[in-house]
Amino acid sequence: MFNVDYAALEKGLELMGVGMLGIFTVLFNLYLISIVLIKLFPGKERKDIV
């Protein structure tokens, strides 16, 4: 029914997948860094942030 350019569609999906993977990687790294920082600076320092 429609003329679909499968090569372009595949390229777009691949780009979207790589983008999502990149976003999740960055979020996961930020999560790990925040855990490490909380473990390094326990107690008193947390009251300064709030």
Side-chain angles (χ1 to χ4, degrees):
M1 197 165 19
F2 298 107
N3 282 335
V4 179
D5 187 1
Y6 286 107
L9 187 68
E10 191 177 331
K11 198 75 172 169
L13 285 173
E14 189 180 335
L15 195 67
M16 192 174 69
V18 169
M20 284 177 65
L21 193 69
I23 290 168
F24 280 117
T25 305
V26 168
L27 286 176
F28 186 67
N29 284 339
L30 287 175
Y31 175 69
L32 287 179
I33 289 168
S34 66
I35 287 175
V36 168
L37 287 176
I38 288 169
K39 290 224 189 290
L40 283 177
F41 304 109
K44 290 178 294 190
E45 283 80 1
R46 258 187 247 164
K47 291 177 188 163
D48 298 337
I49 298 169
V50 175

